Amino acid sequence: MSRVFLKWSRPVCLAALAACVLVASSWRAPSQLPIPPPSTWTNFAFQSPFHEIPGGIWQYPQYRRLGDVVYLRGACEKDTIFGVNDVITILPAGYCPPALVSFITFSPGGALGPGIVIYADGRVTIDQPIQPGFQDVDLSGVFFSITP
């Protein structure tokens, strides 16, 4: 490991120094580092019988990736009552968690909704309906890392 010696001509805030990163043999502040552009929001390709909630009140279900984090948003419903392992959609490669992740969601009406599980193969499924009779789920606020 090589040592770096710095000579200061004036007082320096150590927090400012700690915030710098060594990139290609030169020091750069985080604001100078290249940031990959975010992906655009992409509509879900629903697995039947799931679909968007009609009427235009709720956001159409979508996903996007920012760096190594995938975000979901929007609400969807099913024509019949949720069952365990019902597949809502399948996320494409590059948008899947390295292992199973699970979340508790809300229904669009604000009540505690069903749990969902997202598998490493991209399946977004209903895990366990919290209350019987649910047919809709709000996925807004669900996010996870794709980094192992």
Side-chain angles (χ1 to χ4, degrees):
M1 179 166 98
S2 62
R3 294 183 180 190
V4 175
F5 296 96
L6 302 171
K7 181 178 177 184
W8 304 108
S9 60
R10 59 190 165 141
V12 174
C13 174
L14 291 179
L17 178 61
C20 292
V21 179
L22 182 62
V23 177
S25 301
S26 66
W27 291 94
R28 295 186 187 171
S31 62
Q32 297 172 325
L33 296 175
I35 297 172
S39 67
T40 58
W41 286 103
T42 304
N43 290 343
F44 275 19
F46 288 109
Q47 300 292 301
S48 183
F50 283 94
H51 54 86
E52 77 280 4
I53 297 176
I57 297 172
W58 297 100
Q59 172 75 44
Y60 191 96
Q62 299 174 311
Y63 61 90
R64 93 185 278 181
R65 184 173 149 188
L66 296 170
D68 75 335
V69 178
V70 172
Y71 297 87
L72 306 182
R73 71 178 183 185
C76 61
E77 67 182 6
K78 184 181 173 193
D79 294 329
T80 58
I81 294 173
F82 289 152
V84 175
N85 296 323
D86 284 348
V87 178
I88 300 170
T89 191
I90 300 174
L91 297 172
Y95 290 79
C96 306
L100 178 147
V101 291
S102 61
F103 302 90
I104 296 296
T105 64
F106 289 89
S107 73
L112 193 59
I116 62 164
V117 172
I118 304 172
Y119 292 90
D121 64 4
R123 288 176 293 142
V124 178
T125 67
I126 298 297
D127 177 28
Q128 191 67 272
I130 299 298
Q131 299 176 18
F134 272 103
Q135 294 175 249
D136 53 22
V137 60
D138 185 358
L139 299 168
S140 299
V142 172
F143 63 95
F144 55 89
S145 173
I146 61 169
T147 304

